[in-house]
Amino acid sequence: MKKRVLLTGGAGYIGSHTAVELLDKGYNVIIYDNLSNSSKIAIERVEKITGKNIKFYKADILDTEFLKKVLIDEKIDVVIHFAALKAVGESVKNPLKYYHNNLTGTLSLLKAMEDVGCKNIIFSSSATVYGDPEVTPITEDVPKGFCTNPYGWSKSFMEQIMTDLHTANPDFKVVLLRYFNPIGAHKSGLIGEDPQGIPSNLLPYISQVAVGELEYVHIFGDDYKTHDGTGVRDYIHVVDLARGHVKAVENLEKLNGVEIINLATGKGYSVLDVIKSFEEVIGKKIPYKIEKRRAGDIDKSFADASKAKKVLGWQAQYDIKDMCEDAWRWQKMNPRGYEREEKI
């Protein structure tokens, strides 16, 4: 009997791609999302890709009592917790909003799970919890660092809350998946990253410049200690990332306590590397301007992803060219994203 999986924030970028991979593996998927920074159209497109229907609850994770009802009514076996605000810049400008939504929402979810006896959670964490690491590649044994923004701190605190819950209640199984930099889109071009307003992440910004929605890419600093002076990050295809969640669900029985796992390719690409790869895919130049560094940006961050292979039997399959090709297909098919396309 396949597990019944609840995706909080399941209509979002990573959640929607994970829903596809879970459905393709025969899991029962239930999505719980308030659509504050996502679209119901994404769920409809997931159903189109998979040919399967999804039970969807439009609701907020701050509503503990309703969460409990859903967990009981749907007989949920495992929760994958994506629901969170995620824009770094916005978190700096509005920290209370981020802490309230991300931390209080997580407390509400865990309280509901504890009360109804649902004790398996897979958490959408982030490499930002490492701060500015002293060594690269980053293994899971690298101590968590000083986060440079409230978004990063919220992820770090959420990890700690779940770890403390397991200490108090060892029956809880907690998998902390630390993502590096997800980019790309589903091969169909039907689902992808749909930032509201000006994108804060590199690849949707490049895509929107390429499609003519934005004028040029801002490169924040060219004096980093890297091969070309621009910041280096570990970019991972969102479908690889989604499959990492499926592997976590598949392996829950053999995992013990709190498991921390990096999901990454193990390769670092600079901002200019990504721009050049995108230029090769689309066959034209991407205009960019070098600007001053942003506070808190670090030279390089890339992972050692060997634990994911050892523990989950997972490793990334797609390279940077695949990521750029799929991101471009999504952007061409949806130049103004989900909601905005529907209104044109």
Side-chain angles (χ1 to χ4, degrees):
M1 184 74 176
K2 286 285 188 180
K3 291 183 177 65
R4 297 180 65 78
V5 186
L6 181 72
L7 309 185
T8 68
Y13 175 43
I14 299 167
S16 59
H17 286 81
T18 301
V20 168
E21 299 304 316
L22 285 166
L23 287 164
D24 281 348
K25 289 284 188 178
Y27 287 93
N28 295 291
V29 173
I30 298 91
I31 289 179
Y32 189 105
D33 199 308
N34 67 3
L35 303 181
S36 64
N37 56 5
S38 57
S39 172
K40 190 168 186 291
I41 298 164
I43 300 172
E44 293 164 2
R45 301 250 182 114
V46 169
E47 291 177 329
K48 185 175 180 180
I49 290 166
T50 61
K52 296 177 180 176
N53 294 325
I54 298 173
K55 190 72 173 285
F56 169 57
Y57 291 91
K58 185 183 178 185
D60 199 301
I61 59 168
L62 293 168
D63 189 342
T64 313
E65 291 306 312
F66 188 67
L67 259 174
K68 284 199 270 191
K69 185 177 186 308
V70 171
L71 289 167
I72 293 167
D73 290 352
E74 297 295 343
K75 300 180 175 63
I76 298 299
D77 299 301
V78 55
V79 175
I80 305 182
H81 182 29
F82 296 108
L85 297 173
K86 62 177 186 176
V88 169
E90 186 191 24
S91 79
V92 174
K93 293 174 184 171
N94 202 339
L96 295 184
K97 177 183 177 183
Y98 269 66
Y99 287 130
H100 175 65
N101 184 84
N102 294 3
L103 297 184
T104 313
T106 297
L107 289 169
S108 170
L109 172 65
L110 294 173
K111 177 72 166 67
M113 292 177 68
E114 187 176 48
D115 284 356
V116 306
C118 178
K119 295 181 177 178
N120 296 313
I121 187 163
I122 296 166
F123 177 50
S124 164
S125 193
S126 166
T128 56
V129 302
Y130 291 115
D132 189 354
E134 292 181 10
V135 294
T136 49
I138 302 165
T139 68
E140 291 83 356
D141 295 326
V142 170
K144 291 205 293 188
F146 183 88
C147 298
T148 56
N149 55 73
Y151 163 75
W153 279 120
S154 76
K155 289 289 187 182
S156 185
F157 294 151
M158 289 152 83
E159 283 195 0
Q160 190 62 48
I161 289 165
M162 292 178 206
T163 302
D164 291 343
L165 176 61
H166 166 74
T167 301
N169 189 339
D171 289 343
F172 261 87
K173 285 193 175 182
V174 177
V175 184
L176 306 175
L177 297 180
R178 291 179 179 167
Y179 311 161
F180 278 66
N181 294 67
I183 58 176
H186 191 267
K187 290 275 184 210
S188 65
L190 291 174
I191 58 172
E193 189 168 9
D194 182 25
Q196 297 186 353
I198 303 296
S200 57
N201 294 331
L202 177 63
L203 206 74
Y205 208 106
I206 293 173
S207 299
Q208 291 195 16
V209 170
V211 85
E213 287 289 310
L214 296 169
E215 190 179 354
Y216 58 85
V217 178
H218 302 262
I219 297 180
F220 298 104
D222 63 349
D223 58 348
Y224 290 98
K225 295 173 184 173
T226 61
H227 63 278
D228 61 17
T230 63
V232 166
R233 299 292 182 269
D234 191 327
Y235 295 95
I236 175 173
H237 197 296
V238 67
V239 172
D240 275 331
L241 190 62
R243 289 172 181 166
H245 293 76
V246 178
K247 287 290 187 182
V249 174
E250 287 175 354
N251 287 279
L252 263 176
E253 271 68 36
K254 72 177 189 182
L255 300 179
N256 295 311
V258 178
E259 200 75 70
I260 300 169
I261 301 172
N262 290 335
L263 291 183
T265 63
K267 297 174 185 172
Y269 298 98
S270 74
V271 175
L272 285 175
D273 288 336
V274 177
I275 289 174
K276 286 171 186 170
S277 292
F278 207 90
E279 287 176 338
E280 288 171 12
V281 165
I282 68 173
K284 66 178 182 181
K285 288 289 183 183
I286 300 288
Y288 63 83
K289 285 188 180 179
I290 305 292
E291 299 173 12
K292 67 178 183 179
R293 285 193 189 204
R294 293 179 298 194
D297 278 351
I298 60 177
D299 292 330
K300 57 187 176 181
S301 172
F302 60 95
D304 178 331
S306 58
K307 182 177 178 181
K309 185 176 181 182
K310 180 181 176 184
V311 174
L312 301 180
W314 172 93
Q315 67 182 122
Q317 303 296 315
Y318 297 107
D319 62 19
I320 192 70
K321 183 170 179 283
D322 298 320
M323 300 178 213
C324 291
E325 282 179 347
D326 293 339
W328 180 231
R329 185 181 303 108
W330 152 256
Q331 189 70 66
K332 280 191 299 182
M333 290 174 64
N334 307 270
R336 295 178 181 85
Y338 293 121
E339 300 282 5
R340 294 167 289 289
E341 283 303 291
E342 300 295 312
K343 292 172 185 173
I344 291 172

